[in-house]
Amino acid sequence: MSGCTTSVHHAKEQKAEIIAAVDSLAAQASALALSIHANPELSFEEAESAAALIAPLRAAGFEIEVQSGGLPTAFRATFDSGKPGPVIALLAEYDALKELGHACGHNLIGTASVTAALALKQQSHLLTGKLEVIGTPSEEEGGGKIILSEKGIFDHVDAVMMFHPRDKTMVVRGGLACVDAIFKFYGKAAHAASAPQNGISALDAVIHTFNGINALRQLFTDDVRVHGIISDGGSATNIVPAYAEAKFLMRAETVRGLSTVKQKVFDAARGAALMAGARLEIEEGLTYAERNNNLTLAEYFKQNLDILGVEVVPPPLSGGIGSSDIGNVSQVTAAIHPYIRIGDVLPHTPEFAEAAGSEAGLQAMLQAAKALAMTTVDLCQDGAKLQAVREEFLNWKSRF
C-alpha cells in the first residue's frame, strides 16, 4: 500500500512540474497566439505562421524538419529523450478562414501544442522515447493531414493529440466522413432573346443538379449531409450560359457510407447534364475519414483536465458534428481531438474569431497545453497506460 501511495504522490509531483513549466511559458505563448491571430494566413499559405511556431522549438533544441511530406508549410520538430519509449506527436494547426481570419481558433491550437512541447522539454527527465510536434497545414481547405497521412508521416507514431477550441469542453466528439466536388458544366452560348434555340444552358444543368439532389434527400440516412452553392451561374441575363459551376460537400457517418452517397450525387449531376444537353466534368477533392476517437487516451486527458479544475461535458447524443482531417490520422494511429471552451461562441463566425484572440481563449490554450503535456507524461511514465491506448487502437484496426 505504501508503494502505491508513493507512486501516486510521485505522479502528482510530476504533473505539478508540468503545470509550473507551462505557467512559466504563459507570456511567450500568449504573444505567439496573438501574433498568429493578427496575421491570418489561408490554407497552404501559412509561411509566417509556421515559421513563428518553429522558432521557439528550434531555440529549445528540437530537431527541425521543414516541408514535411512535401508540403511547403508543414513541419516536424523532434526531441529524442535518449531513453526507450513511445513516439508521441502533438499536432499544430495554423491556417485561417477566408474573410473570417482565425474563426476556428487555429492560432490557439498550434500554440498549445508548441507550448506543451516546450514545457516537456524543460522537464525532459519526465520523457521517454521521442516527442514530435507536427505542423499540419490546410485543415480548412485541402486536407493537409490527409496528405501527410498518405505520405506515412504518422506511421511510426504511437499516439497523436491536439485540442480544438469550442463553446464547451468535451474530450470525445465524433467527426463525419466527407468529400467535396466541383461540377463543371459546359453548354453553348446563344442570345437568350433572339436565338435561344441555338444555345445549351449550362446553368439549367446546375439547377437540375440541385433539384435531383433534393429529390434524393428522402432516401438518405439521418447521418448524411449534402450542401452546395452555385459558384458560377453565367455572366449576363441575355446570354444562355455556356459555362456554369456548382460546388458540393457530401458527408456521412463513415467513408463506406459516403461512397454510396457520392455515387448518387454524381449520378444526379450526370443526369442533369444529360437533360440539359451539357457536358460535365467532375473535380473531386480528398476524402476526409470519420474520426476514430481513442476512448482510453481521451479518459487520461479528461483526468488531467480534472486536475486543472476544468469541467468536462458529454458530447451531443446525435448531430452537431462536422468533419476534420484528424479523422484520417485516427485511422493510422491512436488519436484524440478534445475540445476546450473559450466562450458561448460557435466556430466559423466573427464572434469565434474575436474569442480566439481574447483572454478566455488564451486561458483555454494554456489549459490545453497543460493537459496535452500531462497526458504525454502519462504515456511516457506508465507502460500500462500506453499499452491500453495501443491495444484499443489495434483492436479497432483488426475489425477492418
Side-chain angles (χ1 to χ4, degrees):
M1 181 66 71
S2 60
C4 291
T5 303
T6 302
S7 177
V8 170
H9 179 69
H10 186 54
K12 287 183 178 180
E13 286 184 340
Q14 291 176 338
K15 293 187 177 182
E17 290 179 42
I18 290 296
I19 291 170
V22 172
D23 284 337
S24 74
L25 295 163
Q28 177 185 352
S30 296
L32 176 58
L34 291 175
S35 173
I36 295 172
H37 185 271
N39 298 281
E41 296 174 296
L42 300 181
S43 297
F44 293 127
E45 300 175 5
E46 321 95 320
E48 292 186 11
S49 298
L53 293 168
I54 289 170
L57 295 167
R58 178 180 281 117
F62 281 73
E63 179 184 342
I64 306 298
E65 171 192 270
V66 296
Q67 299 187 20
S68 299
L71 297 182
T73 53
F75 68 88
R76 175 162 48 194
T78 304
F79 172 70
D80 189 341
S81 72
K83 294 172 281 189
V87 178
I88 308 300
L90 305 178
L91 304 190
E93 294 179 358
Y94 33 93
D95 60 324
L97 289 156
K98 188 175 183 180
E99 298 180 0
L100 288 174
H102 279 287
C104 211
H106 291 190
N107 63 307
L108 303 177
I109 296 172
T111 306
S113 289
V114 168
T115 304
L118 294 174
L120 289 163
K121 178 64 164 52
Q122 281 188 18
Q123 306 298 323
S124 60
H125 62 283
L126 300 177
L127 291 175
T128 61
K130 292 182 180 181
L131 173 65
E132 297 184 350
V133 178
I134 302 178
T136 60
S138 188
E139 189 275 335
E140 298 293 352
E141 294 284 344
K145 294 185 197 64
I146 302 174
I147 297 169
L148 294 175
S149 295
E150 292 174 347
K151 294 292 182 66
I153 295 296
F154 306 103
D155 289 355
H156 67 293
V157 178
D158 291 294
V160 161
M161 294 183 284
M162 61 175 289
F163 107 100
H164 202 293
R166 187 72 191 189
D167 62 328
K168 59 189 70 173
T169 300
M170 304 172 285
V171 295
V172 175
R173 184 169 174 261
L176 297 172
C178 79
V179 66
D180 67 306
I182 302 175
F183 298 135
K184 300 179 176 182
F185 295 95
Y186 298 86
K188 181 181 178 182
H191 195 288
S194 62
Q197 69 277 7
N198 295 330
I200 296 174
S201 175
L203 179 59
D204 279 353
V206 167
I207 293 170
H208 291 328
T209 298
F210 274 86
N211 290 335
I213 291 171
N214 285 338
L216 288 171
R217 294 188 190 280
Q218 63 177 321
L219 307 175
F220 289 146
T221 52
D222 291 343
D223 59 293
V224 172
R225 299 287 186 272
V226 181
H227 30 104
I229 61 168
I230 298 175
S231 45
D232 190 332
S235 58
T237 56
N238 63 346
I239 300 174
V240 175
Y243 178 79
E245 179 183 287
K247 297 180 179 180
F248 278 89
L249 191 61
M250 295 150 275
R251 306 181 198 254
E253 190 172 41
T254 65
V255 169
R256 184 176 299 179
L258 180 64
S259 177
T260 299
V261 173
K262 183 178 71 174
Q263 189 60 49
K264 289 181 177 180
V265 170
F266 282 13
D267 283 347
R270 293 184 184 106
L274 186 63
M275 290 173 65
R279 179 172 63 86
L280 169 65
E281 290 182 2
I282 300 176
E283 186 177 302
E284 182 178 345
L286 296 174
T287 296
Y288 288 60
E290 68 270 21
R291 192 174 306 171
N292 170 36
N293 291 297
N294 190 283
L295 301 181
T296 304
L297 186 55
E299 176 58 27
Y300 300 152
F301 191 89
K302 178 184 180 300
Q303 290 170 9
N304 289 316
L305 287 178
D306 290 341
I307 291 172
L308 299 172
V310 178
E311 181 184 3
V312 177
V313 301
L317 294 177
S318 62
I321 58 176
S323 308
S324 170
D325 53 7
I326 188 66
N328 298 71
V329 181
S330 73
Q331 312 293 309
V332 176
T333 191
I336 58 169
H337 185 279
Y339 297 80
I340 295 183
R341 171 182 165 81
I342 66 170
D344 294 322
V345 287
L346 290 174
H348 293 214
T349 63
E351 293 78 16
F352 200 94
E354 182 178 352
S358 70
E359 183 60 30
L362 297 175
Q363 288 304 310
M365 175 193 71
L366 294 173
Q367 291 169 342
K370 292 172 183 178
L372 289 168
M374 289 192 289
T375 308
T376 300
V377 170
D378 286 333
L379 299 179
C380 289
Q381 292 287 321
D382 192 331
K385 287 186 174 180
L386 175 65
Q387 182 179 356
V389 168
R390 293 302 303 168
E391 284 183 353
E392 179 183 329
F393 173 74
L394 293 172
N395 288 337
W396 173 84
K397 195 75 172 176
S398 68
R399 303 203 309 265
F400 299 94

